Amino acid sequence: WGKGYSGLVSSSSLSEELMPSGVQSVLLVLLGLAGLAASEASPLMAGAVGKGMLRRGWQAYSGALKSHPLRTNLATSGVLTVASDLVAQVSSADFKAGGQIDQTRTATMLGWGVVVTGGFVFHWLRFLDKVFPPAGQTFQRVLTKIAVNQSLMSPGLNGAFFGVSTARGHDLLQGGSEARDNWLTAWKAKLDKDLLETVIQSNCLWCPAHIVNFYLVPPHGRVLFTSGIFFAWTCWLSSVGYRKDV
């Protein structure tokens, strides 16, 4: 196991040919976590191996964040979004009653995570850093930065997500104007029912998280930090967005 991992890390040219460096780094972190979990599950397995894998995987991941930030964040956000949606699905009453994993929903969430969280939010945070430069950061500037971010992103992104989640029940490509009108009606109803509560919950979670993110986390690690909080947030948001309203 340890030898195989060392070979994976040392064969950088081969691994770069097989997969993008961002995906490779995410997989390295997952390998480290798996090693830690295995060592906890069985006292016969050496915990040092898992910890060593995690440490080396994290070093490779941190390097990828600096050398290929966009690519790495796209991969990270995709993995975390799919994982959080799967957690939301297996925790649902439908699944516990014998339902199946909705693969179309998971694929939609993957697209959302990669395009919105990994891509759009990546550039948005860089824009905020230009408007509110990290150099000479003050707590007052951090609070202003958070206020701008939350006032625009919380209603905007959550409202857009409800548009995506309600679109799945309508054939927008071939259904014509009737399907579009029905979707817009469903989207508006979802916004009226859930957006205000979602924005409140979002602010309760993201405001303190962003204080840490903008004030303490270095710029190259901010989307990673955001993605970590986003994992927990998306578990809840996916449940709200796709729940069957009675």
Side-chain angles (χ1 to χ4, degrees), residues 134-168:
Q137 191 82 279
T138 65
F139 190 68
Q140 182 178 0
R141 186 189 295 176
V142 168
L143 293 181
T144 304
K145 195 174 187 178
I146 292 171
V148 171
N149 183 74
Q150 287 301 112
S151 62
L152 296 176
M153 291 296 101
S154 184
L157 291 184
N158 291 315
F161 176 76
F162 289 152
V164 172
S165 67
T166 53
R168 58 175 285 129

Side-chain angles (χ1 to χ4, degrees), residues 94-193:
D94 287 345
F95 185 84
K96 293 178 180 178
Q100 302 295 319
I101 293 294
D102 187 338
Q103 297 181 5
T104 301
R105 165 178 163 176
T106 300
T108 302
M109 293 297 295
L110 172 62
W112 176 267
V114 171
V115 174
V116 178
T117 310
F120 174 76
V121 173
F122 173 84
H123 292 291
W124 168 251
L125 292 179
R126 288 200 162 189
F127 170 75
L128 283 183
D129 280 341
K130 291 181 180 180
V131 178
F132 305 96
Q137 191 82 279
T138 65
F139 190 68
Q140 182 178 0
R141 186 189 295 176
V142 168
L143 293 181
T144 304
K145 195 174 187 178
I146 292 171
V148 171
N149 183 74
Q150 287 301 112
S151 62
L152 296 176
M153 291 296 101
S154 184
L157 291 184
N158 291 315
F161 176 76
F162 289 152
V164 172
S165 67
T166 53
R168 58 175 285 129
H170 307 276
D171 187 359
L172 298 178
L173 294 179
Q174 299 180 0
S177 60
E178 182 179 358
R180 184 181 65 252
D181 292 342
N182 290 337
W183 166 57
L184 292 175
T185 299
W187 187 6
K188 183 180 183 303
K190 189 69 175 176
L191 294 175
D192 291 341
K193 178 175 173 49

